[in-house]
Amino acid sequence: MKLLRYGPAGQEKPGLLDSDGGIRDLSGVIPDLTGDALSPASLARLAALDPASLPRVEGNPRLGPPVTGMKNLVCIGLNYADHAAETGAPIPKEPIVFLKSLNALSGPNDDVIIPRGSVKTDWEVELAVIIGTRAKYVSEENALDHVAGYAVGNDVSEREWQAERGGAWDKGKGFDTFGPLGPWLVTKDEIPDPQNLSMFCDVDGVRQQDGSTRTMIFGVKQIIAYVSQCITLNPGDVIFTGTPPGVGLGKKPTPVFLKPGQVMRLGIQGLGEQQQRLVASA
């Protein structure tokens, strides 16, 4: 099942994608894709619906982030062995955890705003895990029981603010629009093995990242279990799980960064694609 949110920013309604690729309105069934709506019982009720019985949404509305109301937008850094190698960083002994500002969250096809004065804005296609039930001190064995589904994420990063301005990574990761998510949440029953998904990112039609979740250092189970030891994960919370090689920072001999007018297109096997245009900050 593919669940989504559509409509103007701040006024999105819940929906699902039918077998023909059309959007069906769920607002008469649930108020939004948040909290208890992501529980196993709620997802089972939604899966039992006949999409044809739901109002069809006409046209091509804007898609918002497929979940809302989260308390945490957690990210894992340097979580692909080949990405760590391209940046010259050692393999982490434990997951590197940081947070994105909730203001970074944006729709999958919304414009991405390059911050004022930025010359090092970068792309990062990532598998995003969406939590369905509260997770605190969970084991790896039970970690996936807390997952509602998966989505495509773009952990847009400003490398100067991330690494050259002192302090933690959060500053370079939390600018407005730096967390495109979607186009939809794909429930976990459709993704039996999150550790075997191909993924890509193109910039202006040129393939920059071409990777797989197989090269994760810490898999989804490990990440959820680890993060739950220090951050209570609530329904609707999102974890960006790291990026494969091919980011602009790692380009040799000279790093390459994003400029206004460029277009990013990225996707993950079974989870769909998203596309953003880069615009300069006002």
Side-chain angles (χ1 to χ4, degrees), residues 7-279:
Q11 303 176 45
E12 294 93 344
K13 295 181 179 181
L16 64 77
L17 201 70
D18 65 23
S19 59
D20 295 324
I23 297 175
R24 299 286 177 160
D25 182 17
L26 279 174
S27 60
V29 182
I30 54 173
D32 211 337
L33 287 167
T34 184
D36 291 342
L38 300 172
S39 71
S42 175
L43 294 180
R45 287 194 295 271
L46 295 180
L49 295 172
D50 177 7
S53 69
L54 300 169
R56 185 180 179 89
V57 178
E58 300 300 329
N60 295 293
R62 168 191 173 270
L63 296 180
V67 290
T68 189
M70 69 284 298
K71 296 182 178 179
N72 296 295
L73 184 49
V74 182
C75 301
I76 307 298
L78 291 175
N79 193 35
Y80 283 67
D82 34 11
H83 172 53
E86 76 171 344
T87 63
I91 300 295
K93 293 184 171 65
E94 296 186 35
I96 296 172
V97 179
F98 62 94
L99 300 175
K100 268 188 181 289
S101 164
L102 295 182
N103 282 336
L105 197 68
S106 60
N109 303 313
D110 292 346
D111 290 346
V112 168
I113 301 170
I114 295 179
R116 288 185 184 179
S118 169
V119 293
K120 294 185 178 180
T121 297
D122 204 348
W123 57 86
E124 291 191 9
V125 60
E126 306 207 2
L127 172 66
V129 179
I130 299 165
I131 299 298
T133 59
R134 184 175 182 270
K136 184 177 180 66
Y137 296 129
V138 303
S139 66
E140 290 184 22
E141 180 182 4
N142 298 323
L144 294 187
D145 294 342
H146 298 273
V147 173
Y150 304 94
V152 181
N154 188 354
D155 179 20
V156 185
S157 307
E158 210 297 329
R159 302 302 188 185
E160 181 183 11
W161 279 93
Q162 178 185 354
E164 301 172 32
R165 301 291 293 266
W169 289 5
D170 304 55
K171 292 186 296 184
K173 301 283 192 169
F175 288 96
D176 292 354
T177 74
F178 269 30
L181 185 68
W184 30 73
L185 178 163
V186 180
T187 51
K188 66 180 178 181
D189 57 293
E190 293 194 10
I191 307 295
D193 184 5
Q195 304 306 149
N196 190 29
L197 303 175
S198 59
M199 54 207 306
F200 75 91
C201 178
D202 295 348
V203 178
D204 287 346
V206 178
R207 183 62 42 96
Q208 301 292 345
Q209 292 183 276
D210 188 1
S212 169
T213 57
R214 290 192 304 270
T215 67
M216 275 188 185
I217 299 166
F218 305 103
V220 172
K221 292 180 181 179
Q222 292 172 287
I223 290 169
I224 294 170
Y226 185 91
V227 171
S228 77
Q229 308 305 306
C230 55
I231 298 173
T232 299
L233 296 168
N234 296 282
D237 283 356
V238 178
I239 305 175
F240 280 41
T241 58
T243 198
V247 299
L249 179 66
K251 297 299 180 184
K252 303 292 191 297
T254 304
V256 177
F257 298 109
L258 295 164
K259 299 176 181 178
Q262 292 189 297
V263 174
M264 296 179 283
R265 184 174 72 91
L266 51 151
I268 299 178
Q269 180 183 352
L271 301 181
E273 297 184 5
Q274 53 178 236
Q275 180 170 295
Q276 302 97 30
R277 181 172 61 98
L278 281 301
V279 299

